[in-house]
């Protein structure tokens, strides 16, 4: 049984990760701006799910919330930053403030969670910190540069902290889900049939959360696709951007 902190777990992939963790016997604390979808899970798993209203843009609030979780759980085995902000527009049509907003949640949220949990993990001499990334953060993509840039920064942060804390028994990892049918991806102009099922993705990530590798995926196929993205980043970005344009055009003609 593990004690897990998960940000962005009220819906989508995060919700199903939380559900699977609970099914596996873990204790889970979910940090999100809303908690309405977690009510039934709290009834089903009394005493093992904490639903914490927390804004990842508020550094003090994150620390206070983590302190309360530790007071309840005593230890933190895994901390996962899954909360995200995603926008869809060209750079020319995106204000600097939007880039700052996206980074505040996606990148600085990961940093704030790390700062809050690391003192406890260092005292334990063990722990896993996991950031949800995205293929677009590796290969690039058209008209999504705030989100993609923030995920690229998250990748670098995880690598740096992995090196800094490897001698203290603390490991850092990246989650790489595929394009999934979630609220945040709804504006993404790919046909719905090309988006993965959030339950399948969330359950798969939860089952693989203790994987030894730096990159954690929900399936073997997704792992292979991510290997290609890392090896041929710009080529894959061009290919996927072109595929999106072709599929979007075809969908518009139906």
């Amino acid at each position: 049984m593990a004690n897990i902190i998960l940000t962005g777990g009220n819906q989508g992939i995060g919700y199903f990760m939380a559900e699977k963790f609970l099914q596996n016997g873990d204790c889970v604390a979910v940090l999100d701006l809303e908690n309405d979808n977690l009510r039934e899970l709290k009834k089903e798993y009394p005493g093992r799910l904490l639903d914490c209203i927390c804004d990842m843009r508020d550094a003090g609030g994150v620390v206070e919330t983590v302190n309360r979780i530790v007071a309840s759980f005593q230890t933190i085995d895994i901390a996962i930053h899954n909360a995200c902000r995603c926008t869809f527009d060209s750079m020319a049509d995106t204000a600097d403030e939007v880039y700052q907003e996206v980074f505040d949640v996606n990148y600085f949220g990961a940093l704030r969670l790390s700062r809050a949990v690391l003192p406890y993990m260092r005292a334990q001499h063990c722990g896993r910190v996991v950031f949800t990334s995205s293929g677009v953060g590796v290969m690039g993509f058209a008209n999504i540069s705030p989100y993609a840039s923030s995920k690229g920064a998250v990748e670098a942060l995880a690598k740096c902290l992995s090196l800094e804390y490897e001698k203290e028994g603390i490991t850092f990892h990246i989650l790489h889900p595929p394009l999934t049918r979630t609220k945040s991806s709804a504006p993404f102009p790919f046909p719905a049939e090309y988006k993965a099922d959030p339950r399948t993705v969330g359950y798969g990530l939860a089952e693989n959360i203790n994987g030894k590798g730096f990159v954690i995926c929900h399936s073997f196929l997704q792992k292979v696709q991510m290997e290609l993205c890392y090896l041929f980043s710009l080529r894959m970005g061009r290919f996927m951007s072109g595929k999106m344009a072709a599929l979007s055009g075809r969908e518009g003609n139906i």
Side-chain angles (χ1 to χ4, degrees):
M1 184 182 77
N3 294 326
I4 301 171
I5 292 177
L6 171 66
T7 74
N10 186 57
Q11 61 182 343
I13 294 171
Y15 173 87
F16 290 112
M17 288 177 66
E19 184 175 63
K20 190 60 179 175
F21 288 141
L22 292 166
Q23 290 176 3
N24 291 346
D26 300 321
C27 294
V28 184
V30 173
L31 283 64
D32 210 321
L33 294 174
E34 299 175 340
N35 62 359
D36 53 310
N37 294 328
L38 300 170
R39 291 168 187 162
E40 292 304 314
L41 280 182
K42 284 195 72 174
K43 293 178 183 178
E44 189 173 354
Y45 300 97
R48 289 204 287 119
L49 173 62
L50 300 179
D51 55 331
C52 309
I53 299 297
C54 183
D55 189 338
M56 296 307 296
R57 297 169 296 184
D58 177 6
V62 173
V63 171
E64 180 183 348
T65 302
V66 168
N67 290 344
R68 286 192 284 109
I69 292 167
V70 174
S72 178
F73 286 176
Q74 305 303 313
T75 61
I76 306 170
D77 300 301
I78 304 172
I80 305 167
H81 180 57
N82 179 68
C84 82
R85 170 98 162 84
C86 188
T87 62
F88 301 89
D89 216 335
S90 67
M91 184 192 72
D93 294 326
T94 304
D96 288 354
E97 290 77 14
V98 174
Y99 282 85
Q100 292 168 348
E101 290 170 8
V102 172
F103 266 77
D104 204 10
V105 176
N106 300 355
Y107 174 80
F108 285 103
L111 181 61
R112 291 174 188 123
L113 179 64
S114 300
R115 290 190 187 280
V117 302
L118 279 170
Y120 296 107
M121 290 184 174
R122 293 183 73 185
Q124 299 166 183
H125 305 290
C126 65
R128 294 170 69 84
V129 183
V130 187
F131 305 146
T132 299
S133 186
S134 170
V136 299
V138 176
M139 65 184 180
F141 208 87
N143 298 327
I144 195 173
S145 60
Y147 175 79
S149 300
S150 71
K151 293 301 185 179
V154 161
E155 296 256 341
L157 178 64
K159 292 172 185 174
C160 292
L161 297 184
S162 180
L163 296 172
E164 289 183 29
Y165 289 95
E166 63 182 349
K167 293 182 179 180
E168 300 193 51
I170 302 167
T171 60
F172 285 78
H173 308 266
I174 290 290
L175 292 182
H176 264 297
L179 180 61
T180 306
R181 290 191 300 274
T182 62
K183 184 177 179 180
S184 62
S185 73
F188 204 63
F190 254 99
E193 62 267 27
Y194 287 88
K195 297 178 181 180
D197 173 62
R199 182 190 297 269
T200 300
V201 175
Y203 276 27
L205 291 173
E207 290 288 5
N208 294 328
I209 200 66
N210 288 306
K212 294 182 180 179
F214 177 70
V215 174
I216 299 172
C217 298
H218 83 291
S219 70
F220 176 74
L221 178 59
Q222 177 65 11
K223 187 173 183 179
V224 171
Q225 291 175 339
M226 284 312 307
E227 289 290 341
L228 291 173
C229 287
Y230 279 106
L231 287 171
F232 309 104
S233 56
L234 197 53
R235 288 185 186 180
M236 289 294 291
R238 288 195 186 101
F239 171 75
M240 294 303 294
S241 294
K243 185 177 181 180
M244 181 195 73
L247 290 170
S248 299
R250 189 184 70 183
E251 185 181 53
N253 291 328
I254 293 175

